[in-house]
Amino acid sequence: MFKDVPPVSPAEVSSALPNTSNTLTPGPSGIPYSIWKQVHKANERLLLSLFTPHLTYGHHPLAIKKANGIVLDKPGKPDYRTPSSFRIILLLETVSKILERLPALRLASPARSLGLLHPNQYGSLPGLSCFDAVATLTHEVRLLQAASFKVSTLFLDVKGGFDNVCANKLATILTRGGVSAYLVAWIKSFLSKRQCRLIFQGSPKVFCLVAVGTPQGSPISPLLLVLDIASLHPSIPQGLAISYVDDLIITVGLHSVRSNIRALQYYFGIILRQGADLGVAFSVPKTELIHWRTPKDRSEVSFAPIVINNMLLPPSQAVRWPGYWLTPTIQSPVHFLRRLAFAEASVATIRQLSAAGKGRSSWCNRKLVFGAILPIHTYGCDLFVPDATTLKKLNSFCHEVLRWTTNCVYTTPLGALYREASLPPISSICNHRRRSAALRLVCAPSEFNPATPGYLSLCPPGTRVVQRTIIVSSLEAPPKPSTLLHGLARRLIPPSTYR
């Protein structure tokens, strides 16, 4: 039993329950989240009295360590006789996932203040997203290009990151870092003696012991993974190492592409040795290389490859990280055309649910468009700006979707079409998301979001952020808010600085 352990409060449980979905498939017991929400609503003390002793004794019950593993085949595989052609979806106990959220909430803030998390880790942390990671990468690339450097980036993927988390090594890292003893004991208990049974046609459905790793789908597993691999970020004088959960990238800027390749091989060797100490390996087939260029660069395109673990990797012309399609010139058409293809595939599937004039109502179709099509269609518009040609294609697809949603004829005026569907135009959605992203960045503390200093360096003189509000000094001519925010979101560095 550990002393001075804060008891679980009703506010902690109340903050953990809204993040759960009643439609998620439960674990082996079959108890959904809706039952636990009703229990907490009827009597708040029941879950408190259930969770507090487990944290006080640093123990995770064996009964809720069991999980069902649903075996699904990966589409497009040439051979399904190997285990790598299948994917396992873990279904954990719902009460266990509620309990796991409590240590995750208590560990996230101390881990940041104690320096256990690398400053350039953007995944699985509150207040950070894919946008922040990609914005930091593009900002660093343009800064190095503005200084007349050739810039190259190596994209790495940790092989089986969740499966390689070792309880004893992670407990040692947390103890040396100064984490509370009861949290360390609970994490060690959570990671040990886990059981899983595979569910597929003809399976015996017998629970087997899982010796290593942290379960995917657990609320605390991503945080434990980023704590485990925090030491894999090398210090780069002219460059940057960024990671999003288990996706690590190394960016260097030197006077030639050949020098960049030698530097990337050197830093990869450092990461490889550090990963060997942690039992972490990298998936070489998923490793990608890109040589960045400015839009005005008229020099010959470099196709210089890099050798990683005796494998020759040529540079890519488009890299997806994480969800953003990046090209050597960091231009938007490739990204939005890929997103458009994904959205068209989604519409083709959804249309089968409702043919013209029958099936689902227009109101239900609108909910499908707003929740399942627009997020795919406009993903990335917070950072990238579609050009006129790409925006025309995006609008054409949007008009087609609106006609299907409202069952209107082809000759319906666009103004009436948008009003009938109660959906904003694509350009308005893009502008709103860019400005919202810019506001969030400039108002975030620089020690909390590493992308914030880059944005604030682009503000006009006299601009400062106080209490989440942009304030401009009276000695300077105040810029128009739309110009300031749109400029921050449109370009991290003005195009005039390119060389």
Side-chain angles (χ1 to χ4, degrees):
M1 179 177 177
F2 296 91
K3 299 180 180 179
D4 301 328
V5 178
V8 178
S9 64
E12 288 181 297
V13 179
S14 299
S15 63
L17 285 175
N19 296 325
T20 60
S21 174
N22 296 335
T23 60
L24 290 179
T25 305
S29 66
I31 302 176
Y33 282 114
S34 57
I35 299 297
W36 299 113
K37 291 180 180 179
Q38 294 176 12
V39 169
H40 185 64
K41 184 178 180 180
N43 190 343
E44 294 183 347
R45 295 186 177 181
L46 289 178
L47 291 181
L48 303 184
S49 60
L50 178 64
F51 294 151
T52 299
H54 296 314
L55 297 182
T56 303
Y57 286 89
H59 175 70
H60 194 73
L62 184 63
I64 58 178
K65 291 183 183 180
K66 298 180 179 180
N68 289 335
I70 309 300
V71 181
L72 302 176
D73 57 292
K74 297 180 180 178
K77 292 293 183 178
D79 186 7
Y80 287 94
R81 291 177 295 181
T82 59
S84 60
S85 300
F86 297 89
R87 179 185 293 108
I88 299 178
I89 305 298
L90 285 182
L91 302 179
L92 307 175
E93 293 286 5
T94 51
V95 65
S96 175
K97 297 176 73 172
I98 298 174
L99 173 60
E100 293 159 22
R101 290 182 185 275
L102 305 179
L105 293 173
R106 295 187 177 187
L107 181 60
S109 180
R112 189 187 297 274
S113 60
L114 294 173
L116 296 176
L117 295 172
H118 195 273
N120 291 331
Q121 171 62 257
Y122 290 87
S124 308
L125 299 175
L128 298 178
S129 64
C130 303
F131 165 77
D132 301 306
V134 181
T136 302
L137 171 62
T138 55
H139 178 69
E140 182 69 18
V141 169
R142 284 167 174 158
L143 279 180
L144 294 171
Q145 288 176 339
S148 300
F149 289 118
K150 299 292 184 181
V151 187
S152 302
T153 299
L154 187 65
F155 297 81
L156 303 173
D157 180 76
V158 177
K159 186 176 182 180
F162 289 94
D163 299 333
N164 293 323
V165 176
C166 179
N168 293 328
K169 292 182 179 180
L170 182 59
T172 303
I173 295 174
L174 297 178
T175 303
R176 292 177 179 176
V179 177
S180 300
Y182 79 94
L183 285 177
V184 178
W186 182 90
I187 291 172
K188 192 172 181 180
S189 174
F190 167 74
L191 295 177
S192 59
K193 297 182 180 180
R194 300 198 64 88
Q195 300 182 45
C196 178
R197 63 180 178 185
L198 299 182
I199 306 297
F200 57 91
Q201 186 175 4
S203 63
K205 299 181 180 180
V206 177
F207 286 101
C208 298
L209 189 66
V210 180
V212 294
T214 180
Q216 296 192 42
S218 168
I220 198 174
S221 291
L223 179 59
L224 299 181
L225 175 60
V226 298
L227 288 169
D228 187 53
I229 64 174
S231 60
L232 296 182
H233 298 72
S235 178
I236 305 175
Q238 289 184 192
L240 192 66
I242 309 174
S243 60
Y244 188 85
V245 192
D246 58 348
D247 293 329
L248 178 66
I249 65 172
I250 311 171
T251 300
V252 296
L254 298 172
H255 293 286
S256 67
V257 174
R258 296 292 181 182
S259 300
N260 289 343
I261 292 176
R262 289 192 292 269
L264 290 175
Q265 290 175 329
Y266 170 75
Y267 290 119
F268 177 77
I270 295 177
I271 295 176
L272 199 61
R273 290 190 293 271
Q274 293 175 343
D277 297 336
L278 298 174
V280 173
F282 295 91
S283 178
V284 177
K286 295 183 179 179
T287 303
E288 294 183 279
L289 171 70
I290 191 170
H291 299 309
W292 306 101
R293 295 167 55 87
T294 63
K296 296 183 179 180
D297 191 354
R298 297 295 180 264
S299 62
E300 185 178 357
V301 178
S302 176
F303 295 98
I306 188 172
V307 178
I308 298 294
N309 286 355
N310 299 323
M311 182 176 292
L312 189 67
L313 300 176
S316 303
Q317 297 305 308
V319 176
R320 184 182 181 184
W321 189 86
Y324 291 76
W325 287 95
L326 304 173
T327 60
T329 55
I330 318 181
Q331 293 181 333
S332 62
V334 172
H335 171 80
F336 284 111
L337 292 179
R338 298 289 180 94
R339 302 308 307 182
L340 179 59
F342 292 153
E344 290 174 344
S346 300
V347 170
T349 302
I350 293 176
R351 272 186 170 178
Q352 300 175 5
L353 304 176
S354 176
K358 59 182 179 180
R360 294 183 178 271
S361 63
S362 297
W363 180 80
C364 292
N365 290 341
R366 180 191 176 275
K367 294 189 67 176
L368 285 173
V369 171
F370 200 80
I373 298 176
L374 280 182
I376 299 175
H377 188 42
T378 59
Y379 183 85
C381 65
D382 47 7
L383 180 65
F384 294 131
V385 180
D387 55 22
T389 303
T390 306
L391 185 59
K392 184 177 179 180
K393 295 180 180 179
L394 297 178
N395 284 329
S396 177
F397 169 77
C398 183
H399 298 161
E400 181 182 352
V401 172
L402 292 180
R403 292 187 184 95
W404 167 76
T405 302
T406 59
N407 286 327
C408 292
V409 298
Y410 184 80
T411 57
T412 304
L414 295 180
L417 195 63
Y418 279 110
R419 286 192 293 271
E420 181 69 19
S422 299
L423 291 172
I426 294 297
S427 58
S428 300
I429 296 177
C430 293
N431 289 333
H432 171 72
R433 292 187 179 177
R434 282 196 299 271
R435 295 180 182 185
S436 299
L439 273 175
R440 184 176 65 84
L441 277 185
V442 299
C443 296
S446 57
E447 65 275 6
F448 181 79
N449 192 334
T452 298
Y455 271 80
L456 292 180
S457 64
L458 302 177
C459 292
T463 303
R464 64 186 187 277
V465 179
V466 179
Q467 296 181 353
R468 303 184 64 81
T469 304
I470 297 181
I471 300 178
V472 181
S473 174
S474 59
L475 299 179
E476 302 290 340
K480 296 181 180 179
S482 59
T483 303
L484 172 61
L485 298 180
H486 183 70
L488 288 174
R490 182 178 175 84
R491 293 288 186 269
L492 295 179
I493 290 184
S496 60
T497 60
Y498 292 163
R499 297 182 181 178

